[in-house]
Structure formats: C-alpha cells, structure tokens
Amino acid sequence: MHARCDLACDHCYVYEHADTSWRGKARASHEAVLARTAERIAEHARTHRLAAVHVVLHGGEPLLAGPALLGRAAELLRAALPADCALDLRIHTNGVLLSPRFLDLFATHGIKVGISLDGDKAANDRHRRFADGRSSHAKVLAAVELLRRPAYRHLYAGLLCTIDVENDPVAVLDALVALEPPRVDFLLPHATWEQPPKRPEGLGETPYADWLLAVYRRWEELGRPVPVRTFDSVHRTLRGRSSLTESLGLDPADLVVVETDGSFEQADSLKTAYDGAPETGFTVFDNTLDQVAEHPGMVERQSGLAGLAEECRGCPVVRSCGGGLYAHRYRGDGSGFRNPSVYCGDLMRLITTIRDRMAPAVVVPAQDAPGATLTDGQLDELAAGYGGADTVRALARAQLGLTRRLVAAVGTGSPAWALVTSLDGGDTPALDAVLAHPYTRAWAVRCLQGDTARADLGGMAEVAAAASVRAGRAFELALPVRGGAVHLPTLGRVLVGGAGERVVTGDAEGFTVGGRRIGPDTPADAHWQPVRRIALADGWTPALEDTDPQRDSHQWPVEDRLADAEYLAWGGALREAWELIGRDLPGHAPGIRAGLSTLTPLRPGPAGRDVSAAARQAFGAVGIARPATAPTLALLIAHEFQHVKLGAVLDFHDLYDRTDERLFHAPWRPDPRPLEGLFQGTYAHLAVTEFWATRVRAYDGLRNGPAQHARVQLATWRAHTAASIATLADSGALTPLGARFTDRMRTAVEPWLTVPVGAAAETAAREAAAENLAQWQARTAAAGPR
C-alpha cells in the first residue's frame, strides 16, 4: 500500500538490507494498481473455485496510504471477488498512526489489525525508533490500547516481535502477554550466510534458541496464556501436522507480494539476500497469478524436502525445521538458497529441546466408564442438527469407552494383550490415541462377529505396537503382513512384501521392521507410507487415511495409497471446503472439528456420481470420493458427519422401539426404509437443507444456472426433510426422547421452509417427490405387506 515508513528500524529488511528496489517504487499504490490487483485475485478465485482468499495490506507502513486509499482497496477487492468467495483482509502496521478514524474504517470493511512490537520499552526502543532517535513505544502502546477497546477488540489480530538476544526474554514475553493479544509471533532477525546474525560474546553457541527457550519456559509457567505461532508450529510439526508459519516445516509457500507499482514479487523477506532477489519480472497488468506461480523461484519454494540442501534432507528434525526460512539459507558462493539456514544450530536446539519436553499427544481423553449418557441440553443441541465442540467431545468420550470394552472382549485371546494392559496407566494417552482411531473399533466388531476373512487377533498386536511407539516404550511383537505391508494404526504402514508375519521391535526413538528403521522424522519413501494429515484453518488436521487395512468399512470401495499429486489435490479441496463450512455452516463447524478425525478417500462412483458414506462402527471417520468442486465436498462432509453423530447417539439412547420392523417411505429414496434408516436420512438432510439455503441466499437476485439449481435443491430437500419428520412423528414407534428429538428437528428445519425459491423450483421439487413416491408404492406393492 505504501513504500515508505515513518519509523527507521535498523533491523528492517526492506530499507536496511541488501535490496534497494524501494528507492524506485511509487510511494503509494494508485487506484489503477489496486483495481487490477483485485481483478487478478478474483480471476484466480474463479479459475480455482476458491472458497476464500487472504490479503494483507502491507508496507513500508500501510497507514501512510491514508484512510481513503485503504478503504478503496477493500471496496475494490470485495466488489471484484465472486459472491461465494470470502475475503480474509488484514493490515500489518507499526501502529504509530493508528487512530479511531482508521479503526472505524477497518470495522466497516472487516480488516483485522496486526501490530509490530518488540516487547517492553527497553526492548522496543533498541531498534524501533523514529529517524531522529525518538522512541515509538508510547504511540504503539496507545494503538494496542485502542484495539483492546470493546468496539475494536474483534479487529485485534495479534502482535509480531522481532527477536534481539540482548533483550530480556522473560520481560519481553510478559510485556506482550499483558496486552492480551489473540496471538504472538516471534521472528528471527533476517540474516544470511553473507550477513550473519549477531552472536554476542558470552551468550553461547545458540543464543537465539536459548532466548526462545527462556520464553518457552515462561510461557509454560504462565499456562500458555496466548497462542505463540513459533511454539505451536514446532508442536504441530513434531506430531506430523503442518506448520503455521513459512519459517518452519515443509509446507509449500503460497504467497505473492504486489508492490506499489503493480509488480509481482516473491516473499519480501528475500530482500535480505541480495539486491533484486524477490523480483519476478511480472506485473498485475500483464500477468496472471497462475503465471506467477510458475516462476522458477516460486516453484522452488514449493518443492518441500526435495528443495533442501543434502545435509538438511538427512537431518532428524527436518520435518519440523523445514530448512528454516528460505531467505535465511542464502550464500553468495553460487549455491544460492541450497544451504542450511544460517540459524541451523539454533533451530536444532530449539526443536529437540521442545520435543524432549513434550508428552505424548492426547488425541481423545481416556474413558473407562460404561458410556456416559448425554445431558438434556446436549441432546437438544444435537437434535437441532448441530452439536458444539463440547457436546461432540462428550460423544467421542462415550465412543472411546465403548471401543475399550469391545477391544477388551477381543483381547484376552491375543499374546499382545499383556502389553496393551501394561500401557493403560502411565501411557494411557498413547493407548487411547490408537483406540480412538475409527477403524480400531471396526476391527474389534469384525472379530466379535466372527468375520475372520477381514479381521484376526493380529490386530491386537498392531494396536499394541502403535501405542508403544507413541509412548516410546520398548517392545518386540510379531505383526501380520496385510497386502504386503506391516501396519501400525494411526502411524502408517511399511511395505515388506509377501504374507505371514514380521517381527517389529521398538524403543524410545521409533521402531524397526525387516531391517528398516522408522523414526518420528523418517520421510516417506518407497517402503514407509506414514499417515498424512492435512492442516486446515482453526487448527483442524484430519488424517487422510489411505493405509489402514480396516478402512474398507464403508459401502463404497476405498482408494489405495494416493499419489502425491492426488494427495495435494485433496489438500487444496479440503482447505477450500473447510473455509466454506466455517462461513456457510458455522453451526456445524465446531462439532466437525471436534469429532471428525479421519477422511478416507473412496473410489469414484459410477458415471462420475458423487459418493460418500459413514460407517456405523467407525466413529470419527467418513469416506468420500473427491468431488469436482469444493462446495460439493463441503456438503458431503457435513452430510456424512450428521450420520456419525446420530450413530453415536443411538449407541446409548433409544429414540424409537428397536423391535419395530416396519418399513417406511423416505421421500428421497424409492426403496422402503427401516426406522433407523429413516431417522438417519432425516437427520443428515437437516445439514443438506441448510447448505442449500445458504447457497440460495448467496445467489440472491441472480438468475443463472447455479442459482436456479440451488433453488431447486433447497425446495427438494426441505420438502423431503419436513415430510420424513412428519412420518417419524406419526409412526407411533418413538420413545419420549425420540419424540422430543423429532420435534427439535422439526423446529430446526422451519426457518428454511420460508426461504423464497420461485414457482419453477417448487414445481421441480414436487415432481421429484411424486416420482419417488410412485416408485416406492410400486416396490411396496410388489413386496407385499410388512
């Protein structure tokens, strides 16, 4: 937004490092640049069907652009974007000029504010001063106090602190925490092998790690009062999840910078490497974002492990470190960015120290009780079609208790049972992480049903081995070879070939099978196929399960191990779908995040049909064949998780007379359905109806094909759902709880019955219902009385 700054911070990478291009840039963006930028972003969103885009108004100091230009940027962006694409708009500022006038503007446009602040006055004044040497601290504190006012608190995005190892780390953290930020981020000062970071005498070989670890200890002493992106990223990557920052982890970089003159640049941190390092030669006037994405520098920054130096690829913490920030790897000897980070030793010490302090991940709390019933309030919440995080976690605890009893019923005949029971004490979290895996219960049920073709007691050894690896316990077990692979549920599989059994040994550092050593940082290769997780907004990281031999629990066949390209396609589709769920189905999102741990890719349906399923004995998992669009994926996730929730309710609560064997008309199917099938379909279609209602509202005033399709879908599904609720209510088979549950479903669908869709859509819905009814009547007549 503006290429100059009102401070003269001596650690600034824009004005104080190798790149001097700022001297030739326009001071502020012109409207023509902003308009063309908005068009390029909108073009990209339409091309890739993005559910949301993320834009940061930056500088220099963006507030120097003034309220009028900042407001115009927001207007142009929102006007250009498609109606179904959300805009996450933020501004990052030093805060000196922040005022109620700016914040009123930001509130109007939904612009969240991040502020740079290096700690208390002594720490901040070490670098963040005006050109004449005056302190900026008081003005920045005044800006933060404005953001903390109730009228503006929702705009407060967080604080960014650049590290100086000569500052007191505890004083810095305490000063930042006192300002109650939603998030804090600590940045290593930009440096390269040509211009290394300062390392004062007497502070040891890893002063930046030591400084951050002092902050980490204080953060833990305070009870982790605010999220710290650096520490959260280390925690996440150590557990196989994605990073929250480009300076850690192996996630591909997905950002581009638009300068004031409309030129596209790579990440602006590259300005610290050499003059012109971030340049691409592209502009918003001449080039698309797809063309920018194909620039060699952009491609290099998305190459993950393959793009790192050889010594980095073999490092035990590479999955967490990721080679460090790309700019910090630069060396001017011809090797460019194919070097370890100039902070390599610090990153190694930071990550390994945090790793050694971490307890095993607790995926689901232990639950030994016979299965707790839900409160009346929680049941009413679920009956309305929703279920918040606490309610769904209560379902998960009850399901874990049920799985424990099922596994115990199987276990006594297995030689691995003693190891499992020995884990159920000090290592209960590690054991419960495996028992909470959806397909552990599916395996146990198959064993108890005598399904020897699909399950055997070797599954107990798999559970014991996986839990032992998670707990860091020593063990030696013979595990079955299934489909040429040894499998550890929740962790992955090792391809060994053949059949029979393989001996697996484990210790605190990992496990060994067939002479192959697998540790927590072992990368995937031709033999080791770890379970992969996809990091989504709000911290949801579902597993994309394509290795578990028990995952074939759905009505459609499952896909085998996904190729890298398909895995990446799933990641992109899920990120868009999750953003759409958060925006259009906000009542469903918290429960999905709390209870849906696993997505299992299915094979495509016949003739391109969208297929999805929820397995009654696999709480926490849904199976889906990746559809063509993100909105369809969002719909399938919401639909199937309704089945997951209701199945968990029915495990402990009677909603109908289970001895009633009658079949009923379900308006969406031609075949008669038993009571549970009617209940399940009706409950799932509460989410389907709400989804199409949000689509209709998004298309308000439009008369195009997608808009009319949404109206027909809403008219159809709300009619189906209302009719099936009436069938349930009139069945005479509901328990008092079931009658209350059904009445709450009726109340939940009522708001969508009045959304106008037009006569054509209503006619199409009636015709579809009449056709289904005729088919049902024909089938019922042919089958005879029931």
Side-chain angles (χ1 to χ4, degrees):
M1 292 302 302
H2 203 281
R4 301 295 186 270
C5 189
D6 46 1
L7 292 183
C9 308
D10 58 15
H11 57 16
C12 180
Y13 60 88
V14 176
Y15 307 110
E16 302 293 336
H17 283 226
D19 187 81
T20 60
S21 63
W22 63 273
R23 301 179 188 276
K25 295 286 194 301
R27 282 183 173 267
S29 289
H30 296 291
E31 179 156 340
V33 170
L34 297 175
R36 192 58 174 152
T37 300
E39 291 169 4
R40 288 299 189 194
I41 293 172
E43 171 187 59
H44 197 69
R46 283 191 295 271
T47 300
H48 298 280
R49 298 188 180 93
L50 300 183
V53 296
H54 309 274
V55 179
V56 180
L57 307 178
H58 216 281
E61 172 46 52
L63 296 185
L64 289 172
L69 196 62
L70 294 172
R72 186 60 178 149
E75 291 169 353
L76 290 167
L77 284 163
R78 292 194 186 278
L81 282 172
D84 59 350
C85 182
L87 174 62
D88 178 6
L89 187 56
R90 298 171 183 250
I91 190 166
H92 195 87
T93 171
N94 60 37
V96 168
L97 296 177
L98 197 65
S99 67
R101 183 185 178 194
F102 276 113
L103 289 174
D104 289 338
L105 174 78
F106 298 159
T108 298
H109 293 289
I111 303 173
K112 293 191 174 182
V113 184
I115 290 186
S116 294
L117 178 65
D118 289 349
D120 57 6
K121 186 176 187 301
N124 199 67
D125 287 353
R126 193 182 291 276
H127 300 286
R128 296 189 181 276
R129 290 179 171 270
F130 289 95
D132 60 6
R134 285 179 298 125
S135 168
S136 67
H137 188 254
K139 289 183 177 293
V140 180
L141 283 191
V144 175
E145 290 306 319
L146 277 176
L147 275 173
R148 294 174 68 190
R149 291 182 183 178
Y152 304 128
R153 177 75 195 190
H154 66 289
L155 302 177
Y156 192 5
L159 300 175
L160 184 149
C161 172
T162 300
I163 297 166
D164 188 315
V165 293
E166 293 184 291
N167 289 332
D168 182 338
V170 172
V172 167
L173 180 68
D174 287 351
L176 298 178
V177 168
L179 299 176
E180 299 179 314
R183 181 177 296 278
V184 171
D185 194 12
F186 291 103
L187 297 185
L188 292 167
H190 287 312
T192 68
W193 290 103
E194 301 304 307
Q195 296 290 330
K198 70 176 183 180
R199 296 186 180 276
E201 290 186 13
L203 293 184
E205 297 182 358
T206 56
Y208 293 90
D210 296 338
W211 194 94
L212 279 167
L213 288 169
V215 172
Y216 184 85
R217 287 190 291 271
R218 177 61 173 168
W219 181 60
E220 288 197 316
E221 288 172 6
L222 296 175
R224 300 184 179 184
V226 297
V228 175
R229 189 163 65 162
T230 309
F231 301 150
D232 290 343
S233 293
V234 173
H235 290 164
R236 290 165 61 90
T237 54
L238 285 171
R239 288 168 173 162
R241 298 161 69 184
S242 67
S243 174
L244 301 173
T245 171
E246 66 169 331
S247 61
L248 291 166
L250 291 171
D251 302 290
D254 59 355
L255 64 90
V256 67
V257 175
V258 181
E259 286 286 350
T260 53
D261 60 359
S263 57
F264 281 120
E265 291 193 350
Q266 302 175 61
D268 49 7
S269 59
L270 291 177
K271 293 178 185 293
T272 200
Y274 58 88
D275 202 7
E279 293 177 3
T280 66
F282 297 147
T283 74
V284 295
F285 300 104
D286 301 321
N287 304 99
T288 67
L289 283 165
D290 277 345
Q291 288 175 308
V292 178
E294 294 173 357
H295 184 277
M298 301 293 289
V299 172
E300 176 72 11
R301 294 181 64 240
Q302 298 197 26
S303 56
L305 193 65
L308 300 183
E310 183 177 354
E311 51 264 60
C312 289
R313 293 197 297 271
C315 176
V317 299
V318 67
R319 294 280 166 181
S320 290
C321 169
L325 189 70
Y326 188 75
H328 296 173
R329 308 172 200 168
Y330 180 72
R331 192 189 294 269
D333 60 359
S335 59
F337 298 95
R338 287 291 179 113
N339 300 287
S341 169
V342 72
Y343 292 103
C344 178
D346 294 279
L347 292 171
M348 171 70 83
R349 175 166 166 73
L350 173 69
I351 293 167
T352 55
T353 303
I354 291 177
R355 179 195 66 192
D356 293 343
R357 290 171 65 93
M358 283 172 57
V362 180
V363 176
V364 181
Q367 170 59 267
D368 294 312
T373 56
L374 297 169
T375 66
D376 287 346
Q378 289 172 326
L379 283 166
D380 286 343
E381 188 182 343
L382 288 162
Y386 303 118
D390 289 343
T391 295
V392 173
R393 279 193 284 265
L395 285 177
R397 287 193 295 270
Q399 290 292 303
L400 179 56
L402 179 56
T403 299
R404 279 175 154 266
R405 297 198 306 281
L406 292 169
V407 170
V410 175
T412 53
S414 167
W417 179 242
L419 179 55
V420 170
T421 56
S422 74
L423 288 162
D424 198 11
D427 295 314
T428 295
L431 176 61
D432 279 349
V434 181
L435 295 180
H437 180 48
Y439 300 116
T440 298
R441 172 169 164 182
W443 160 78
V445 169
R446 286 170 180 160
C447 288
L448 294 171
Q449 291 176 340
D451 186 0
T452 55
R454 305 186 67 193
D456 55 54
L457 293 181
M460 187 62 70
E462 293 168 333
V463 168
S468 296
V469 170
R470 284 177 165 274
R473 290 273 294 271
F475 70 93
E476 180 175 323
L477 287 171
L479 268 61
V481 178
R482 306 183 194 274
V486 169
H487 177 257
L488 279 76
T490 74
L491 299 177
R493 67 184 181 188
V494 183
L495 302 182
V496 296
E501 292 182 335
R502 295 289 189 280
V503 173
V504 179
T505 59
D507 53 37
E509 300 298 326
F511 66 97
T512 301
V513 55
R516 187 171 302 278
R517 180 68 174 169
I518 308 294
D521 300 305
T522 301
D525 56 25
H527 299 279
W528 169 233
Q529 295 181 341
V531 171
R532 295 174 289 192
R533 294 184 174 273
I534 295 179
L536 306 174
D538 299 326
W540 187 36
T541 56
L544 199 63
E545 181 57 84
D546 56 5
T547 65
D548 195 304
Q550 306 295 338
R551 72 188 186 281
D552 193 7
S553 300
H554 306 279
Q555 67 190 76
W556 298 95
V558 297
E559 284 279 19
D560 201 354
R561 180 71 168 183
L562 300 181
D564 287 345
E566 177 63 10
Y567 167 68
L568 293 174
W570 261 101
L574 274 172
R575 289 185 182 97
E576 294 177 35
W578 181 234
E579 289 176 349
L580 193 151
I581 289 171
R583 185 188 72 192
D584 290 349
L585 297 173
H588 293 267
I592 292 173
R593 182 179 181 274
L596 184 56
S597 65
T598 304
L599 290 108
T600 298
L602 305 178
R603 293 179 187 170
R609 173 184 171 189
D610 291 324
V611 298
S612 61
R616 187 69 170 79
Q617 302 296 345
F619 175 84
V622 300
I624 297 176
R626 184 172 66 85
T629 67
T632 302
L633 180 57
L635 173 60
L636 295 177
I637 290 172
H639 176 138
E640 296 303 340
F641 193 64
Q642 293 290 93
H643 290 302
V644 171
K645 289 186 295 185
L646 187 59
V649 170
L650 291 173
D651 278 337
F652 297 104
H653 298 273
D654 286 329
L655 302 184
Y656 59 88
D657 180 0
R658 295 179 187 267
T659 65
D660 193 322
E661 297 182 352
R662 289 177 296 164
L663 298 178
F664 296 83
H665 175 228
W668 54 88
R669 292 181 65 138
D671 55 324
R673 303 294 292 154
L675 267 171
E676 180 170 349
L678 184 63
F679 237 123
Q680 283 278 6
T682 304
Y683 189 69
H685 293 142
L686 292 177
V688 174
T689 300
E690 183 175 353
F691 174 88
W692 287 114
T694 64
R695 298 280 89 192
V696 168
R697 288 177 172 174
Y699 290 129
D700 185 33
L702 299 179
R703 291 290 180 266
N704 56 19
Q708 185 58 19
H709 174 72
R711 294 184 185 102
V712 171
Q713 291 297 313
L714 174 58
T716 300
W717 289 109
R718 70 187 183 185
H720 286 350
T721 307
S724 59
I725 289 172
T727 300
L728 286 169
D730 295 339
S731 69
L734 301 184
T735 65
L737 177 58
R740 192 177 95 209
F741 203 94
T742 301
D743 189 56
R744 291 285 292 172
M745 289 197 293
R746 179 186 291 109
T747 301
V749 83
E750 283 176 353
W752 315 125
L753 299 178
T754 58
V755 177
V757 295
E762 294 285 12
T763 299
R766 283 194 297 270
E767 291 174 351
E771 182 179 351
N772 274 341
L773 179 59
Q775 293 179 9
W776 173 77
Q777 289 171 335
R779 289 196 180 196
T780 303
R786 287 293 305 269

